[in-house]
Amino acid sequence: MASCIEKAELIAEESSIQETTSSLAAKKEMPLEEPVINLPEPDSELNSSPTSTSEPTTNPDEATFIFGERHWRVRGLAKNLSYETLKIQLRILRQSATNNGYHLDTLDLCNAKHRQSFIAQAVSETALSSEILKRDIGQILLALELQQENLIRQALQPKQQLAPSLTDIDREAALALLRDPQLLDRILVNYEQCGIVGEATNKLIGYLAAISRKLDEPLALIIQSTSAAGKSSLMEAILAFVPAEERIKYSAMTGQSLYYLGDTDLKHKVLAIVEEEGAEKASYSLKLLQSERELTIASTGKDQTSGRMVTQEYHVEGPVMIMLTTTAIDIDEELMNRCIVLTVDESRAQTKAIHELQREKRTLEGVRRKLDKTGILELHRNAQRLLRPLRIVNPYARRLTFLDDRTRTRRDHEKYLTLIDVIAFLHQYQRPIKSDSGNDDRLNYIEVTLSDIITANRIAGEVLGVSLDELPPQTRRLLELITTHVTDECERLALTREAFRFSRRDVREWTQWSDTALKIHLHRLEEMEYLLIQRASRGNGYLYELLYDGEGLSGGKFMMGLIDPLKLDYDASQSGQKEDWSGGGQPSVRGISGHGQPPEIAPEALCNKPLKEGIINLSQQS
């Protein structure tokens, strides 16, 4: 009886083994489940989907995978822009008639321990075998690596904002602006129509400096003023005329930030920084970019193939036009001598004009002006887009003169020559394009005219003359105010200047400046020997004596050392090469551009008469 029972158990065991073997064989022959993969849609040029893909999800940072009853979801893929990690949020959801479950966790798919931990937890939550989960995660990993490759390649591509295509109407309007004989005057009028009153010289030099970004050696600007004087408004007004794709604006910069931009992200663009203090850490790279017109840095990084630390080189190409604003009285000397320093008009008359404009904005005329502003700005942006990269040849270059008493004038001389070039460059549609076939490559260029030099001399007297002064602009302004008050008081009291004394309190009452600012500026005037300090007859106070005689206060600002354009004109006429005035037609209405045939005014009047606000007809000036 026992032997029969043992025999029956042996037969049952053999039958069970056969069933198990046939079941394993069937599973081995059964094909793998074809997954349904739902990945975020990559760029069309970089599309390399690994398997059959269904419609993409609406969320570009999410991907779904379906393996029969197993639904997988991946989030956070877009943040993985390094080949070393693949940190994501992964969820497995099992939906079947007999068993449901899910597991959610955050892990790095490139880390084997993270994958094993996820599988172990998912097995207990979903009742799936570890082999099935391991196989699913393997296919997900392969698909996500391809998608990560696409994301990294897209991130490394230069992000250049393309210029919009111009319609025929927009193009003709922009060309009409560039061909206007009174182009510089029209620029100032358009500034006023856009709500920027006064500051004629600053607006004009700002516009020309922004245009210089297209040259090989652009200008650089520092706009300096006290707080709330309008330096940021002036910067915004200048930038508004520049096409959006050709300007970059930052509030602050770190020390190494410029080095890691794209190779051509700054090339022939305007780089504006709201406050010079915000770029203090990047001052070295800014100075280097301005003088060398390129940046190169060697940095250590990990090689993607070997994983070893290697030296990598980053290169940023220039040239770039740099624009800064600051409230600092003392500016970095090395940065300042590379830039043109503009000071905002802080006079009472300018404040009154600004108040009137602010009130006008609330009127119907102000609303209309705001609507017209959009069209004016777009017109100038289109015009700047049409400026072609032509060479500038100055036939008068060898006969020009400049101060050479200080080494700093080596850089200021270059600013002066660039100012002449950019004026000619802006008027390229009013000049014949010449060619030189002496080299292998054909050289197209336009020539500087005498009127360009006259205009540059006028602007240099207003701008470069200030930057070459031995005193900072605000200190020089205080000196002018003190000189005016001392002269008036000496006349009223019938005293000589040597006998007149005044205190810091007197200066504070005359100028309404703060005591802190006066301490700084008066101390600088003492050191530069414009003021002589003496002890008061009573008490321990101090009094000042003015030693400055008022040089430069009469007439407009001027810059010594520049050649009289009359001599250039005379030399050209003697050699039989007297040129026509650019643009032809009537003279400039403001007397600053120097374009048009001037029938009733000599060129020396153009050089000596300062820039003024308001519309002035040169033919009526004496």
Side-chain angles (χ1 to χ4, degrees), residues 251-253 273-281 325-329:
S251 299
M253 300 180 65
I273 304 173
V274 176
E275 290 288 345
E276 185 264 342
E277 291 81 358
E280 184 177 359
K281 295 181 179 179
T325 66
T326 183
T327 57
I329 298 174

Side-chain angles (χ1 to χ4, degrees), residues 440-499:
D440 296 336
D441 297 332
R442 194 173 188 85
L443 175 63
N444 295 326
Y445 66 93
I446 58 176
E447 289 188 345
V448 170
T449 65
L450 183 62
S451 57
D452 297 332
I453 298 176
I454 292 175
T455 304
N457 285 4
R458 299 283 309 279
I459 297 176
E462 292 285 328
V463 180
L464 289 181
V466 175
S467 67
L468 288 175
D469 193 28
E470 60 183 350
L471 293 176
Q474 296 294 334
T475 307
R476 180 59 183 267
R477 176 171 172 76
L478 177 63
L479 178 62
E480 293 175 355
L481 293 174
I482 293 175
T483 303
T484 301
H485 283 281
V486 169
T487 302
D488 294 341
E489 290 296 311
C490 288
E491 292 178 357
R492 184 178 65 86
L493 300 175
L495 294 175
T496 61
R497 181 168 295 184
E498 293 78 10

Side-chain angles (χ1 to χ4, degrees), residues 69-70 72 90-94 99-105 114-137:
E69 64 180 10
R70 303 179 303 282
W72 295 81
L90 184 61
R91 186 195 70 181
I92 169 66
L93 175 63
R94 182 183 183 185
N99 196 350
N100 292 326
Y102 76 94
H103 178 58
L104 175 68
D105 199 358
H114 288 192
R115 296 197 301 269
Q116 293 175 1
S117 176
F118 182 90
I119 291 173
Q121 294 291 331
V123 167
S124 62
E125 297 289 345
T126 62
L128 292 169
S129 67
S130 60
E131 293 298 328
I132 293 176
L133 294 175
K134 186 183 297 183
R135 183 188 64 190
D136 290 354
I137 290 180

Side-chain angles (χ1 to χ4, degrees), residues 259-275:
Y259 293 99
Y260 298 102
L261 291 173
D263 290 352
T264 59
D265 284 356
L266 294 178
K267 191 171 185 179
H268 294 299
K269 293 184 179 180
V270 176
L271 175 60
I273 304 173
V274 176
E275 290 288 345

Side-chain angles (χ1 to χ4, degrees), residues 293-365:
R293 292 178 290 282
E294 65 176 1
L295 291 175
T296 304
I297 187 174
S299 178
T300 56
K302 184 174 290 187
D303 184 79
Q304 299 295 342
T305 305
S306 63
R308 298 177 57 187
M309 298 299 292
V310 296
T311 300
Q312 299 174 344
E313 183 177 291
Y314 297 90
H315 180 72
V316 178
E317 296 181 15
V320 58
M321 185 268 162
I322 299 174
M323 187 184 306
L324 305 169
T325 66
T326 183
T327 57
I329 298 174
D330 295 317
I331 306 175
D332 182 5
E333 182 66 23
E334 293 186 8
L335 180 62
M336 187 172 65
N337 61 30
R338 289 174 168 86
C339 303
I340 294 177
V341 180
L342 302 181
T343 56
V344 176
D345 186 0
E346 301 181 23
S347 65
R348 183 173 182 178
Q350 175 68 4
T351 303
K352 182 179 179 180
I354 293 174
H355 288 174
E356 292 177 354
L357 178 64
Q358 291 171 344
R359 291 190 290 266
E360 184 190 9
K361 289 181 179 180
R362 272 68 178 177
T363 64
L364 180 58
E365 291 76 8

